[in-house]
Amino acid sequence: MQPSVTSEESANPNSLPVRFVFRCIGCGLVVHAAEQDFRCSRCGNLLEISDPSWTAGSLHPVALKSLWAQRRTLNESIDLSGVWRFRELLPQPASEQSVVTLREGNTPLYALTRTARATDVQQLYAKHQGLNPTGSFKDTGMTVAATFARQAGYRWVACASTGNTSAAMAAYAARGGMRSLVLVPEGKISWSKLSQALDYGALTCQLRTDFDGCLRLLQELVRSAPVYQLNSLNPFRIEGQKTLAYELLEQLEWQPPDHIIVPGGNLGNSSAIGKGLLEMRDIGLIEKLPKLSVVQAEGANALVRTLREGGKRLVSVQAETRATAIRIGSPASWEKAIKVLQSTGGTTEEVSEIEIAQAKAEIGAEGIGCEPASAVTLAGLRKLLLRGFVSRDEIVVLVLTGNLLKDPDFTMEFHRGELFSGNEQLNAYRHPPVVLDASLKAVIQTLEQAEKSAAT
Ligand SMILES: *Cc1c(COP(=O)(O)O)cnc(C)c1O
């Protein structure tokens, strides 16, 4: 018998009533234990975690909303986590103490008022996942996956990464008393992200290949060594990342926005957010589904191309973009993402390097720093408006996936004018540092000049 969440039980935040199974997204096979590669033993497609009891109506939406709100006033570490606060909709850990957490989630939702005016959208918000403990949304998935890795008794966890996954994995492995193995492409990774993995004690291997090469090698490794893979192929990560949707809707008083726009790399995050949205609708937490759209860099546009060619077969690309977090040519979760686009009525878009740089500076000028990969959302919104896919009276949420401090080189090169130096239009967005003699006169002159150019 599944215990249900009733108003009586909502007084007891310790109840963890949910059971789960793995289900293949291709052939629908249901299993209770997954292989090391998290693929279906029958058809090879990816597995997802599902709970058959939900559709049987075991969860009461009003009781859930008040239970989750109530937990924000509690001080147990499992309640302070913006992921585990929603644990009725997550796989159930052995005990509350077994959860590996750094107080992830609970990230702010900002109104982007100036950018809304500049793009002529009435209501524009940014959900800033870059304010997670290690600076990206990867933490929300890692808390769940690391918890189950430790529970399964693994000593080693491993991932292939463009940087943020390794930073998050290394931190959560360290918190959970596990060792971590990081496979990153040599070069093409920001020092900020790499330095996090080093500091958190990961065994870090810089491989002479790209991200896709690192991921392929990891797939071979997990079949021949007792390491637990923490890439987003791992469905426990998807479970953690889907809580963004719950948290966002809670922040919007359970009134769904019209549109959520997400950057697409390996496509785990868009799959996760979509899964969260669909579950909310099925449980009755929301009545209307927001459209979820995915934006990629032109140089790493595998999903865009795949859909252009019918969506039945993955069209891989040789990925190239300065937005290194989405520099991925063969996204693992492409089929999951396509299902989400289809069921929410969203679309895909691609944006140029120049559009990314401008969008990042515009978000920055609102006092909100994000990394280049996150800025594709604003650049993509502009194009969706031009296409007429988004209309100006809609409520739009941009998911900012990573923190500004993740890639300071990009930001410095942009403002110093080294990035796209020939581009006149970008100059309006650059704020280069000024080198002066240490005299009062020089500073006042510079101040006056700045005031004059702001006035014109
Ligand atoms: C990982 C990451 C992405 C891409 O997410 P996927 O799940 O791989 O599609 C985008 N932005 C940032 C900052 C990331 O760290």
Side-chain angles (χ1 to χ4, degrees):
M1 245 316 267
Q2 293 282 335
S4 61
V5 177
T6 62
S7 48
E8 204 176 305
E9 271 188 28
S10 68
N12 176 8
N14 297 335
S15 56
L16 293 165
V18 173
R19 299 275 174 274
F20 63 92
V21 294
F22 297 100
R23 188 178 56 201
C24 171
I25 63 157
C27 70
L29 180 72
V30 170
V31 291
H32 290 273
E35 299 294 327
Q36 284 285 78
D37 59 0
F38 296 108
R39 288 190 177 273
C40 175
S41 55
R42 192 160 70 186
C43 77
N45 213 320
L46 292 180
L47 301 178
E48 67 176 8
I49 290 173
S50 92
D51 185 331
S53 74
W54 295 349
T55 40
S58 71
L59 296 165
H60 193 293
V62 177
L64 280 178
K65 287 176 189 174
S66 75
L67 174 62
W68 294 339
Q70 184 199 343
R71 283 188 185 139
R72 286 188 300 187
T73 65
L74 303 177
N75 270 321
E76 293 297 327
S77 65
I78 195 168
D79 295 317
L80 291 168
S81 162
V83 170
W84 294 102
R85 196 155 67 76
F86 302 101
R87 55 190 174 271
E88 282 67 27
L89 304 187
L90 294 175
Q92 178 185 340
S95 74
E96 293 197 356
Q97 289 67 39
S98 67
V99 165
V100 182
T101 173
L102 285 162
R103 295 197 195 172
E104 52 291 320
N106 291 325
T107 57
L109 180 68
Y110 297 122
L112 294 179
T113 44
R114 256 182 287 169
T115 312
R117 250 178 280 130
T119 45
D120 199 15
V121 172
Q122 274 181 10
Q123 287 191 67
L124 182 61
Y125 296 95
K127 175 73 174 154
H128 202 344
Q129 294 296 87
L131 297 183
N132 271 290
T134 76
S136 83
F137 73 81
K138 303 295 197 301
D139 295 344
T140 59
M142 233 25 111
T143 181
V144 177
T147 295
F148 284 91
R150 185 168 70 170
Q151 199 166 299
Y154 282 95
R155 190 173 136 66
W156 281 91
V157 293
C159 73
S161 177
T162 60
N164 283 337
T165 302
S166 57
M169 178 187 76
Y172 283 83
R175 289 301 288 179
M178 292 174 285
R179 298 291 314 276
S180 62
L181 170 70
V182 165
L183 306 181
V184 289
E186 219 255 302
K188 309 285 183 187
I189 169 170
S190 103
W191 291 123
S192 308
K193 301 177 185 182
L194 195 57
S195 65
Q196 288 181 289
L198 304 183
D199 222 35
Y200 303 140
L203 171 57
T204 304
C205 305
Q206 296 181 271
L207 304 182
R208 289 183 202 94
T209 177
D210 56 9
F211 169 82
D212 299 287
C214 292
L215 188 58
R216 270 195 303 275
L217 203 129
L218 180 72
Q219 299 314 303
E220 289 173 35
L221 178 72
V222 296
R223 282 193 290 268
S224 43
V227 298
Y228 185 77
Q229 76 153 314
L230 285 180
N231 277 93
S232 55
L233 290 168
N234 182 320
F236 289 100
R237 279 208 28 215
I238 303 294
E239 290 306 287
Q241 287 170 209
K242 77 182 182 184
T243 60
L244 173 137
Y246 310 150
E247 195 178 284
L248 172 66
L249 265 292
E250 188 181 59
Q251 286 167 317
L252 292 170
E253 310 284 350
W254 302 101
Q255 297 302 311
D258 297 292
H259 234 103
I260 300 175
I261 303 181
V262 189
N266 217 11
L267 300 174
N269 204 31
S270 30
S271 305
I273 297 170
K275 185 170 192 279
L277 292 172
L278 292 166
E279 287 172 358
M280 270 192 286
R281 186 204 48 194
D282 293 346
I283 295 164
L285 288 159
I286 53 171
E287 294 190 347
K288 191 195 89 178
L289 273 180
K291 293 192 183 81
L292 189 136
S293 293
V294 176
V295 184
Q296 297 193 299
E298 280 174 0
N301 61 351
L303 181 65
V304 175
R305 288 198 196 194
T306 297
L307 282 167
R308 210 183 279 149
E309 295 187 17
K312 295 274 177 279
R313 212 175 40 82
L314 175 66
V315 181
S316 298
V317 300
Q318 190 70 42
E320 193 47 79
T321 169
R322 280 296 301 262
T324 50
I326 51 173
R327 192 173 178 275
I328 292 172
S330 294
S333 295
W334 65 279
E335 281 175 286
K336 283 187 180 177
I338 288 177
K339 278 177 202 271
V340 163
L341 295 184
Q342 285 167 348
S343 41
T344 67
T347 186
T348 53
E349 190 49 86
E350 57 186 327
V351 294
S352 72
E353 297 294 297
I354 289 173
E355 288 165 334
I356 295 171
Q358 179 186 322
K360 187 175 117 56
E362 285 182 277
I363 296 168
E366 292 234 33
I368 295 165
C370 67
E371 62 170 288
S374 309
V376 302
T377 53
L378 174 59
L381 168 61
R382 283 227 162 81
K383 291 195 146 172
L384 294 177
L385 283 161
L386 279 178
R387 254 167 68 182
F389 194 81
V390 176
S391 66
R392 306 194 181 278
D393 55 359
E394 288 185 327
I395 303 174
V396 181
V397 177
L398 309 178
V399 178
L400 302 184
T401 44
N403 195 292
L404 168 79
L405 300 175
K406 287 286 197 171
D407 195 349
D409 286 348
F410 183 99
T411 309
M412 288 306 292
E413 286 176 37
F414 176 80
H415 289 292
R416 283 194 181 132
E418 295 154 15
L419 199 59
F420 314 117
S421 53
N423 189 298
E424 293 281 319
Q425 199 196 325
L426 283 181
N427 289 344
Y429 300 92
R430 300 193 204 265
H431 308 286
V434 192
V435 182
L436 298 174
D437 287 331
S439 81
L440 182 61
K441 190 166 154 241
V443 175
I444 287 184
Q445 256 176 10
T446 309
L447 193 59
E448 283 169 356
Q449 256 164 23
E451 181 61 28
K452 229 184 287 160
S453 57
T456 55

